[in-house]
Amino acid sequence: MNTKRWIALVIAAAVLVVSLLVNSVFTIFQNDFTQNLDEMMIEQSSGLDETVLEDGSANSRIAVLEVNGAIQDTGEASPLLGTVGYNHEFFLQQLEQIKMDDTVKAVMLKVDSPGGGVVESAKIYDQITEIQEETGKPFYVSMGAMAASGGYYIAAPAEKIFVNQETLTGSIGVIMQSINYGELAERYGVDFVTIKSGPYKDIMSPTREMTDEERALLQEMLDDSYQNFVDIIVEGRDMSEEEVRAVADGRIMNGRQAVEANLADDIGYAEDVLAHLRNDFDLENAEVFEYGTSQSWASLFSVKVQSLFGADLETQMLTKLMTEYSAPRMMYLYGDK
């Protein structure tokens, strides 16, 4: 072969080698990109971010959950007003993630709540006990300034409950309230016209007095929910029903009284609870983390709106009207919402 043929052959070989190299690099990049994309999609689908509170082993972790505020499912918060507080769906999502995540070995649940809805409290209780039964992951509770009524209900299944000296807890029981402004309306000449399909359809109406029959119907419902409350404490705290009923009359108590009544195990702050959890379950080197959510443009916009309007009384009233139920319902609740 002449020189030109040799040069052409070398160029062809070089092109082939470069082509193979480029294809290999592209394939590797594509696989890595696809894997990373899949991981990102999984993370986005869960809607949960993680913030490390204390460094440690990523394969042996302690999750910190927090219930702060009234336990109510108020639905989707208004993007315009951007209400802040307890988010029921978000909390249930955290529990579901803990159930599926094998790296989570234990949970510290921080409770600062006056309680809330009967259904919402029961849902949290059911998911906690499900995690305990199916995975064996322990829950330790750290009570804050208040963990009353439904706040105690969700704490009852924990392996240990810690309180502060000044924690307000207890308030074991059920309440259902409405307001009767019938006489006031009559004084001002306001007439309410009600058409109903049955005698009890407007039970607990704010425009008339309740009958004895209606009161008996509602009392039976509340008694059932109260019995459920007593039963979960009997099971969770290993107490007799008589022992529970002795303090389950709606009374509130401080931390010392709760420990003496066997409704709590010890006095301690959150850092003490975490130390006990590490020591009791050989988690000295465990990473400690909490969940969060990525801020969307809507949530960022809500912050701007809040800063624009401020927390004035009219905004608070509008928020309350838009996010809270108006119909009376049974509550595991101490004090006002």
Side-chain angles (χ1 to χ4, degrees), residues 180-217:
N180 188 332
Y181 47 76
E183 290 187 11
L184 178 64
E186 184 179 351
R187 185 183 307 171
Y188 287 92
V190 179
D191 184 27
F192 295 94
V193 178
T194 302
I195 302 173
K196 53 186 180 179
S197 58
Y200 304 119
K201 184 58 182 171
D202 64 340
I203 195 169
M204 284 196 85
S205 168
T207 65
R208 65 174 179 82
E209 291 290 333
M210 182 183 296
T211 67
D212 292 339
E213 292 80 6
E214 291 172 331
R215 189 176 298 275
L217 287 172

Side-chain angles (χ1 to χ4, degrees), residues 34-45:
T34 302
Q35 182 178 354
N36 292 335
L37 183 61
D38 289 341
E39 292 174 356
M40 290 172 61
M41 291 297 291
I42 292 173
E43 184 175 345
Q44 287 294 325
S45 65

Side-chain angles (χ1 to χ4, degrees), residues 105-332:
K105 305 302 181 183
V107 180
M108 180 172 77
L109 174 59
K110 300 167 67 177
V111 181
D112 196 344
S113 171
V118 168
V119 173
E120 293 92 333
S121 300
K123 181 64 174 177
I124 294 174
Y125 171 83
D126 288 342
Q127 285 206 227
I128 289 176
T129 54
E130 183 178 300
I131 292 171
Q132 291 170 316
E133 293 169 2
E134 295 187 11
T135 70
K137 297 176 183 180
F139 280 71
Y140 274 21
V141 167
S142 173
M143 291 185 172
M146 177 179 289
S149 204
Y152 188 84
Y153 189 107
I154 65 173
E159 276 72 14
K160 285 187 179 180
I161 297 175
F162 293 79
V163 292
N164 301 324
Q165 288 281 4
E166 306 305 325
T167 296
L168 288 180
T169 187
S171 188
I172 299 168
V174 195
I175 190 170
M176 189 176 190
Q177 289 181 316
S178 71
I179 187 171
N180 188 332
Y181 47 76
E183 290 187 11
L184 178 64
E186 184 179 351
R187 185 183 307 171
Y188 287 92
V190 179
D191 184 27
F192 295 94
V193 178
T194 302
I195 302 173
K196 53 186 180 179
S197 58
Y200 304 119
K201 184 58 182 171
D202 64 340
I203 195 169
M204 284 196 85
S205 168
T207 65
R208 65 174 179 82
E209 291 290 333
M210 182 183 296
T211 67
D212 292 339
E213 292 80 6
E214 291 172 331
R215 189 176 298 275
L217 287 172
L218 294 176
Q219 187 64 54
E220 183 179 358
M221 291 168 49
L222 264 68
D223 289 343
D224 285 345
S225 294
Y226 172 74
Q227 184 62 52
N228 290 337
F229 203 157
V230 170
D231 290 343
I232 70 105
I233 299 176
V234 168
E235 182 177 354
R237 299 299 301 168
D238 194 24
M239 299 169 64
S240 69
E241 183 168 335
E242 291 72 23
E243 290 174 321
V244 174
R245 285 184 175 270
V247 293
D249 52 7
R251 72 181 71 180
I252 60 170
M253 57 190 75
N254 62 24
R256 174 189 59 80
Q257 293 170 319
V259 172
E260 292 177 356
N262 199 29
L263 294 179
D265 296 285
D266 205 350
I267 304 292
Y269 294 102
E271 56 268 26
D272 303 314
V273 179
L274 189 59
H276 279 283
L277 197 54
R278 287 185 182 277
N279 182 68
D280 293 349
F281 295 94
D282 193 25
L283 295 170
E284 286 80 3
N285 298 320
E287 176 185 276
V288 181
F289 75 98
E290 64 182 0
Y291 293 109
T293 54
S294 299
Q295 284 192 312
S296 65
W297 68 269
S299 62
L300 291 173
F301 177 69
S302 71
V303 174
K304 295 296 184 182
V305 172
Q306 284 183 310
S307 64
L308 176 63
F309 289 101
D312 58 86
L313 181 60
E314 290 183 2
T315 301
Q316 293 179 35
M317 291 178 63
L318 182 59
T319 302
K320 196 175 186 69
L321 289 171
M322 293 179 67
T323 60
E324 293 189 358
Y325 295 107
S326 58
R329 61 185 186 129
M330 292 187 294
M331 304 286 285
Y332 294 136

